[in-house]
Amino acid sequence: QVQLVESGGGLVQPGGSLRLSCAASGFTFSRYAMSWYRQAPGKARELVAAITNTEGSTNYPDSVKGRFTISRDNAKNTVYLQMNSLKPEDTAVYHCNARRNTAFREYDYWGQGTQVTVSS
């Protein structure tokens, strides 16, 4: 059974930091590209960070570049999102995503999400 379980969310003041974790099970983690998305109320889901399965190349949108860092530990089947200099507009539910494309199908798994609230 595939599971992605996020943790580490919470309430933080503007300028603060949080580290999200996503523990994966039920699939071969090292073969999957991993990403973090977020969705705020009334807004579309937004990609905030992605990391490839092999080289560990990363990608960020301009809205979080320089503030967020994605990393992965294939030995622990876990992906992390370090968030620094948080802003109120970072408030959202953050979801972990695992994706792998083969010649025959696309594998696409999602976690339930963890709430991040940035407020004074």
Side-chain angles (χ1 to χ4, degrees):
Q1 181 183 1
V2 171
Q3 280 195 309
L4 292 173
V5 180
E6 301 96 336
S7 61
L11 173 64
V12 63
Q13 291 187 341
S17 298
L18 282 176
R19 189 194 196 204
L20 305 184
S21 299
C22 173
S25 61
F27 62 97
T28 307
F29 179 79
S30 61
R31 294 182 179 179
Y32 283 68
M34 300 299 297
S35 302
W36 286 94
Y37 287 77
R38 68 186 180 189
Q39 188 162 22
K43 294 189 176 181
R45 187 172 61 195
E46 176 189 18
L47 174 69
V48 295
I51 187 167
T52 61
N53 59 321
T54 52
E55 302 88 2
S57 299
T58 58
N59 187 42
Y60 309 91
D62 289 342
S63 57
V64 307
K65 195 172 293 184
R67 300 189 298 121
F68 289 12
T69 302
I70 187 171
S71 61
R72 66 188 296 161
D73 186 337
N74 287 344
K76 294 183 178 180
N77 289 353
T78 302
V79 62
Y80 305 97
L81 184 67
Q82 178 67 43
M83 304 186 295
N84 299 328
S85 303
L86 283 162
K87 305 175 181 180
E89 51 263 43
D90 295 319
T91 296
V93 177
Y94 284 71
H95 295 270
C96 176
N97 171 259
R99 187 168 296 143
R100 178 183 179 224
N101 292 320
T102 71
F104 304 103
R105 65 174 281 191
E106 178 184 81
Y107 298 85
D108 190 22
Y109 305 132
W110 291 88
Q112 292 296 311
T114 186
Q115 176 71 46
V116 171
T117 302
V118 185
S119 175
S120 55

